[in-house]
């Protein structure tokens, strides 16, 4: 029987709610039961429906049998139940996340700190030895990587080149002259200049006509250049407001910048602690690493200013019995005069400058000094150091260059 839609305008009871017939609910329930489960679509999340105002219903309702047959055959679509019928609980289905959801929830990889996520790590190129020969013979197709010795050298280079925040000063001193103090300052300064991105500075504060610049440049080159000294710098320090202005009072051995000591004996011992501190403050504006060649002794006028501004110390010593005793005496003097931290963190450098005889027990001297300092490093005998002339890294033995690298790395390690 076809459904009839009444004209509400002609219905006498328009606007009044009509009592619900129980046969309508029974017909709807029968239609739901007769529908095959396979043909029912999967339930989805339905948006909340706004409240529906009551609508007038027809008084003539089809019977349960006819409604059921029409719902199953599809001839007539069953009308929705009235608002007075309690709706069934909404059903939900598990929704699989889309590709866009997965991408949005996945954290963005850090391309800077984790480049290995996308690029395979390349082995460093081996230099020298069997590994280097195989690498060169195969045109780089067979890279065995660096050996243990090269890895140690690379690690020293990384320690030396560590980026620093601020300016630091290392004082190189001894109680005895002629045991490698100035040569150590030059060798370590050149090594720092080779590996660091910023140029280091070396200051000759030796009150006894120091020869720091001559050992770095050579006597002839120094005499040909304008021999400006630390005294000239002090006399004009108020007018220096840039690195360009400061460079007029400095000498350059490659990337190592140097301030020459006073050569006039009458004024060489006149540098005071306050004057040195003024120079140190000026240097700290332009250099992150500075080395100060203190000369012999620890009681001259500028020494208190040097120790006051030093971040760590290098104590020069020798394998001669007198040299080892003076190195120990230097550490004891520092510890008893308010510089205990500098003494404890000092780096003792023993230079075999005079190539002592086999009667000297080198191991005993090293063991004697190593227990009262942070690190002890031995520099082997090298004619490029022992002659007291120009010091260049090119003419030094590999063992000597390695020792200077260890000293430079130990110095930078002490900058905290």
């Amino acid at each position: 029987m076809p459904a009839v839609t009444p004209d509400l305008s002609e219905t006498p009871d328009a606007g009044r709610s009509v009592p619900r017939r129980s046969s309508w609910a029974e017909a709807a329930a029968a239609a739901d039961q007769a529908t095959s489960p396979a043909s029912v679509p999967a339930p989805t999340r339905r948006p909340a429906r706004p409240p529906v105002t009551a609508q007038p219903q027809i008084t003539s309702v089809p019977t349960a049998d006819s409604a059921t047959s029409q719902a199953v055959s599809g001839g007539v679509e069953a009308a929705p139940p009235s608002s007075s019928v309690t709706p069934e609980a909404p059903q939900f289905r598990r929704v699989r996340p889309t590709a866009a959801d997965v991408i949005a929830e996945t954290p963005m990889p850090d391309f800077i700190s984790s480049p290995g996520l996308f690029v395979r790590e390349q082995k460093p190129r081996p230099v020298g030895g069997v590994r280097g020969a195989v690498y060169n013979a195969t045109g780089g197709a067979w890279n065995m990587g660096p050996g243990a010795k090269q890895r140690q050298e690379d690690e020293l280079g990384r320690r030396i080149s560590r980026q620093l925040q601020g300016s630091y000063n290392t004082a190189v001193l001894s109680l005895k002259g002629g045991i490698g103090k100035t040569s150590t300052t030059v060798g370590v300064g050149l090594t720092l200049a080779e590996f660091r991105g910023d140029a280091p500075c070396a200051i000759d504060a030796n009150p006894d006509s120091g020869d720091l610049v001559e050992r770095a440049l050579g006597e002839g080159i120094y005499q040909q250049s304008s021999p400006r000294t630390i005294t000239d710098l002090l006399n004009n320090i108020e007018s220096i407001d840039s690195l360009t202005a400061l460079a007029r009072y400095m000498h350059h051995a490659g990337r190592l910048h140097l301030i020459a000591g006073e050569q006039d004996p009458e004024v060489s011992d006149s540098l005071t602690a306050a004057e040195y501190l003024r120079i140190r403050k000026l240097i700290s504006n332009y250099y992150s690493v500075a080395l100060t060649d203190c000369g012999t002794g620890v009681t001259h006028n500028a020494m208190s200013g040097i120790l006051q501004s030093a971040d760590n110390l290098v104590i020069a010593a020798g394998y001669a019995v007198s040299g080892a005793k003076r190195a120990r005496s230097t550490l004891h003097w520092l510890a008893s005069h308010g510089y205990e931290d500098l003494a404890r963190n000092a780096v003792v450098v023993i230079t075999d400058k005079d190539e002592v005889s086999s009667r000297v027990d080198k191991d005993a001297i090293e063991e004697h000094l190593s227990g009262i300092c942070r690190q002890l490093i031995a520099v082997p005998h090298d004619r490029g150091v022992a002659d007291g002339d120009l010091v260049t890294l090119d003419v030094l033995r590999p063992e000597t260059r390695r020792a200077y690298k260890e000293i430079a790395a130990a110095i930078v390690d002490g900058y905290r």
Side-chain angles (χ1 to χ4, degrees):
M1 174 179 179
V4 178
T5 304
D7 187 356
L8 297 180
S9 60
E10 299 177 359
T11 305
D13 295 334
R16 284 189 313 177
S17 60
V18 181
R20 178 178 60 85
R21 300 295 183 90
S22 61
S23 60
W24 182 276
E26 293 175 358
D32 292 339
Q33 294 179 0
T35 304
S36 176
S39 63
V40 177
T44 58
R45 184 186 300 271
R46 297 177 181 177
R49 295 181 178 178
V52 181
T53 57
Q55 299 290 336
Q57 299 178 357
I58 59 175
T59 56
S60 178
V61 181
T63 62
D65 294 339
S66 61
T68 303
S69 60
Q70 291 176 5
V72 174
S73 61
V76 177
E77 182 179 356
S82 65
S83 59
S84 61
V85 179
T86 303
E88 296 181 0
Q91 298 181 359
F92 304 91
R93 65 169 179 168
R94 188 185 301 272
V95 180
R96 297 182 61 183
T98 64
D101 297 334
V102 175
I103 294 175
E105 295 177 0
T106 303
M108 179 67 67
D110 191 345
F111 296 95
I112 298 177
S113 62
S114 303
L117 294 175
F118 305 97
V119 181
R120 294 180 180 177
E121 183 179 359
Q122 185 177 3
K123 293 182 180 179
R125 176 181 177 179
V127 179
V130 177
R131 295 170 180 261
V134 171
Y135 182 90
N136 294 331
T138 60
W142 193 358
N143 186 356
M144 302 172 64
K149 183 177 180 179
Q150 184 178 343
R151 290 196 299 269
Q152 294 174 0
E153 295 287 335
D154 294 341
E155 177 61 22
L156 287 176
R158 283 190 289 269
R159 290 166 57 191
I160 296 172
S161 61
R162 178 171 65 91
Q163 186 176 5
L164 300 174
Q165 301 295 330
S167 179
Y168 298 88
N169 179 32
T170 297
V172 185
L173 56 92
S174 69
L175 291 182
K176 183 180 184 298
I179 56 177
K181 175 181 56 61
T182 301
S183 61
T184 299
T185 305
V186 176
V188 173
L190 293 173
T191 302
L192 289 169
E194 180 182 0
F195 287 93
R196 291 195 58 80
D198 50 346
C201 175
I203 306 170
D204 190 348
N206 192 336
D208 301 319
S209 301
D211 60 347
L212 175 67
V213 177
E214 290 93 322
R215 298 296 301 274
L217 297 179
E219 185 73 23
I221 297 178
Y222 174 66
Q223 293 299 330
Q224 293 173 6
S225 62
S226 57
R228 295 193 173 185
T229 65
I230 194 171
T231 304
D232 300 319
L233 177 60
L234 279 170
N235 293 336
N236 300 276
I237 195 169
E238 296 296 338
S239 63
I240 300 175
D241 57 359
S242 66
L243 183 59
T244 302
L246 178 60
R248 300 191 187 103
Y249 302 91
M250 306 193 75
H251 305 269
H252 302 83
R255 297 182 66 251
L256 175 61
H257 300 178
L258 305 108
I259 299 177
E262 183 56 57
Q263 301 300 306
D264 188 350
E266 295 183 0
V267 296
S268 61
D269 195 25
S270 63
L271 181 67
T272 65
E275 290 173 338
Y276 174 82
L277 290 176
R278 293 179 67 190
I279 294 175
R280 174 70 190 106
K281 182 179 180 180
L282 176 64
I283 295 299
S284 65
N285 294 328
Y286 306 105
Y287 296 92
S288 61
V289 177
L291 304 177
T292 301
D293 186 357
C294 301
T296 303
V298 291
T299 58
H300 58 81
N301 295 336
M303 200 63 205
S304 61
I306 294 173
L307 294 177
Q308 179 182 341
S309 63
D311 296 284
N312 54 23
L313 300 178
V314 171
I315 308 298
Y319 278 114
V321 177
S322 59
K325 288 183 177 180
R326 285 182 171 86
R328 184 179 179 87
S329 299
T330 303
L331 293 171
H332 278 297
W333 185 92
L334 292 168
S336 61
H337 286 76
Y339 304 105
E340 185 176 356
D341 290 340
L342 288 177
R344 185 186 304 110
N345 295 314
V347 178
V348 174
V349 176
I350 303 181
T351 303
D352 191 4
K353 187 175 180 180
D354 299 326
E355 198 171 13
V356 297
S357 65
S358 58
R359 292 178 59 250
V360 177
D361 190 346
K362 297 181 179 180
D363 294 336
I365 292 176
E366 292 177 4
E367 183 179 357
H368 177 71
L369 293 175
S370 61
I372 56 176
C373 62
R374 175 165 60 92
Q375 188 171 350
L376 185 142
I377 301 172
V379 179
H381 179 75
D382 196 319
R383 291 291 300 273
V385 174
D387 290 344
D389 194 8
L390 176 67
V391 176
T392 59
L393 299 180
D394 295 338
V395 301
L396 298 179
R397 296 169 54 189
E399 294 82 3
T400 306
R401 296 190 60 177
R402 168 64 182 264
Y404 285 151
K405 289 177 66 174
E406 292 178 353
I407 299 170
I411 288 174
V412 178
D413 288 344
Y415 296 153
R416 302 296 180 189

